[in-house]
Amino acid sequence: MRQQRRFLQSCRREVVEVGMVAAAAVAIAWKEEMKGAVVVVEGKLLTPMESLTTDSPSVIYKKIPFLVHNGKPISESLVILEYIEDIWKQNPLLPEHPYERAIARFWAKFGDEESSTTNTIGPKKTTMADELKVFRTWSSPFGLRIIWALQLKGLDYETIFEDLSQKSPLLLQYNPTYKKIPVLVHNGKPISESLVILEYIEDTWKQNPLLPEDPYERAMARFWAKFVDDKLLKSVINVLFTKGKEQEEGIPKVMENLKYIEEELKGKKFFGGATIGFTDIALGWTANLLGVIEEVTGIKFIDAQKFPQISEWMHNFCDVPVIKANWPSRDKLVTKYQAHVAPK
């Protein structure tokens, strides 16, 4: 145990020193169950809660790690790594090739999950060398993210609809790790996990960018996309598939997560400004599916008085032709979820 502590302490010093050498204005926070942690800021030592400002993304998760660069906080370790890669180009962490970058992101996400058990479409089309196939289901919001991104980029693709009760040999071949959709196959190379696929699309086709140019804004877009999947979606699913007291106790968590989204959208048409971007695509399912879940459960999540920013964002999002043209049938969705929800 003592050897373990000495090893961890040496790691802390090493990482802090490396961080300070890389950029003197960078602060790295370490914490062990919110006890005994320090933040190094230009030689000053602060306690964890002193270092967490009210506008910090870390206030949402209330956990480490978080990186503060020139006073700007970035949270979530994989988001921080992408930010470091965007800012400092020496000793690259990610390979240059978009497919190899996508695979690196896939395995990083896999490691995390296992350990925790109105846009104008660009004129560019795919060439003969760009064969794109999307494996998805008719109802999956994750597959829909890929369709929206490809169409916003003006790309041609083939859709293969999967029956997840009888997964095709091709799906199992292309995604043997998770065995689920969506999967994008580009010239025979498969990429899995919707947010990883969105990054790959962004890396490969530069027209109509989904991520902003500024590294900090890119980090924030990734942070909120991850928040949507890790926090908001999970809280909504919990309410959908529970009943009684457990369901009642889950509703405040959904509302709390929606309040964070509401605050982030203040003064914005879309998350990135005037056009749909990475975070909008990640959150897009709410503009349709939340209403379906409200109908199935009888629980009201969104109204214009309580969440005016989200309500306006939903209206703007649904008005974009690419979005509007690809919604699955609402009636079919209601029927699907009613069949899966246990009677009260």
Side-chain angles (χ1 to χ4, degrees):
M1 183 63 76
R2 287 177 182 172
Q3 287 179 328
Q4 227 175 9
R5 283 202 197 98
R6 280 199 296 270
F7 173 73
L8 288 172
Q9 287 166 355
S10 68
C11 286
R12 287 192 177 97
R13 286 196 297 272
E14 237 181 335
V15 174
V16 170
E17 288 166 7
V18 169
M20 294 304 289
V21 169
V26 173
I28 297 175
W30 287 86
K31 165 180 92 165
E32 193 171 339
E33 297 180 355
M34 289 304 289
K35 294 180 182 179
V38 295
V39 183
V40 180
V41 188
E42 298 177 345
K44 294 170 67 178
L45 299 180
L46 305 176
T47 64
M49 296 317 295
E50 286 174 328
S51 64
L52 285 173
T53 59
T54 54
D55 61 344
S56 168
S58 291
V59 173
I60 295 172
Y61 282 98
K62 300 178 180 66
K63 66 180 183 180
I64 58 94
F66 64 93
L67 176 77
V68 182
H69 181 206
N70 294 336
K72 295 178 178 178
I74 305 100
S75 298
E76 294 296 291
S77 61
L78 296 184
V79 174
I80 294 170
L81 290 180
E82 293 269 7
Y83 178 77
I84 291 170
E85 181 76 345
D86 284 344
I87 289 287
W88 296 284
K89 303 301 182 184
Q90 69 272 27
N91 303 324
L93 304 175
L94 284 168
E96 287 188 17
H97 194 279
Y99 181 72
E100 293 175 1
R101 293 168 73 91
I103 297 306
R105 287 171 175 136
F106 170 84
W107 286 113
K109 186 174 187 296
F110 175 83
D112 269 8
E113 290 185 350
E114 290 302 300
S115 65
S116 65
T117 311
T118 14
N119 267 15
T120 301
I121 299 176
K124 180 180 176 181
K125 299 291 182 179
T126 51
T127 65
M128 289 298 290
D130 286 323
E131 182 186 52
L132 286 168
K133 296 180 180 179
V134 182
F135 288 77
R136 56 180 286 224
T137 64
W138 70 270
S139 61
S140 169
F142 302 107
L144 202 50
R145 289 172 173 174
I146 313 311
I147 301 304
W148 288 333
L150 291 173
Q151 291 193 15
L152 287 167
K153 293 279 187 180
L155 301 170
D156 295 325
Y157 59 91
E158 176 188 352
T159 298
I160 295 94
F161 287 102
E162 284 285 332
D163 177 358
L164 297 184
S165 65
Q166 293 180 309
K167 298 173 184 178
S168 72
L170 270 181
L171 176 63
L172 298 177
Q173 173 190 328
Y174 285 135
N175 191 2
T177 307
Y178 285 106
K179 301 178 178 64
K180 64 181 183 181
I181 55 93
V183 176
L184 176 71
V185 182
H186 181 206
N187 296 336
K189 294 179 177 179
I191 306 99
S192 303
E193 295 297 294
S194 63
L195 296 183
V196 174
I197 296 171
L198 291 182
E199 294 263 13
Y200 177 78
I201 292 169
E202 181 74 348
D203 283 345
T204 304
W205 295 281
K206 303 301 184 183
Q207 70 273 22
N208 301 330
L210 303 177
L211 282 167
E213 286 188 19
D214 181 80
Y216 182 73
E217 292 177 5
R218 292 167 74 90
M220 289 301 97
R222 290 173 176 131
F223 171 84
W224 285 109
K226 192 173 187 301
F227 172 84
V228 168
D229 280 6
D230 289 355
K231 292 283 192 176
L232 178 60
L233 180 59
K234 286 181 180 179
S235 64
V236 171
I237 288 174
N238 179 62
V239 170
L240 176 63
F241 290 106
T242 56
K243 55 184 179 178
K245 184 179 180 182
E246 188 178 357
Q247 186 182 66
E248 289 175 13
E249 290 174 347
I251 295 171
K253 178 53 74 174
V254 176
M255 307 310 279
E256 179 187 2
N257 290 331
L258 287 172
K259 284 177 184 176
Y260 286 126
I261 298 291
E262 176 76 9
E263 198 66 27
E264 182 62 20
L265 276 169
K266 279 187 176 177
K268 302 175 183 177
K269 182 177 181 181
F270 298 110
F271 279 91
T275 57
I276 283 180
F278 191 84
T279 308
D280 302 287
I281 290 174
L283 185 65
W285 60 271
T286 62
N288 183 46
L289 200 52
L290 263 188
V292 170
I293 293 171
E294 287 177 342
E295 182 173 340
V296 171
T297 62
I299 300 165
K300 187 69 174 173
F301 295 114
I302 300 291
D303 65 63
Q305 285 189 332
K306 189 176 290 184
F307 296 113
Q309 303 294 328
I310 296 178
S311 299
E312 183 66 18
W313 172 84
M314 286 180 169
H315 175 77
N316 293 331
F317 187 78
C318 291
D319 263 358
V320 177
V322 162
I323 306 303
K324 192 183 300 184
N326 287 289
W327 286 126
S329 163
R330 181 186 175 90
D331 289 344
K332 284 180 68 178
L333 284 173
V334 170
T335 301
K336 171 187 167 70
Y337 282 101
Q338 281 176 336
H340 282 81
V341 175
K344 294 183 180 180

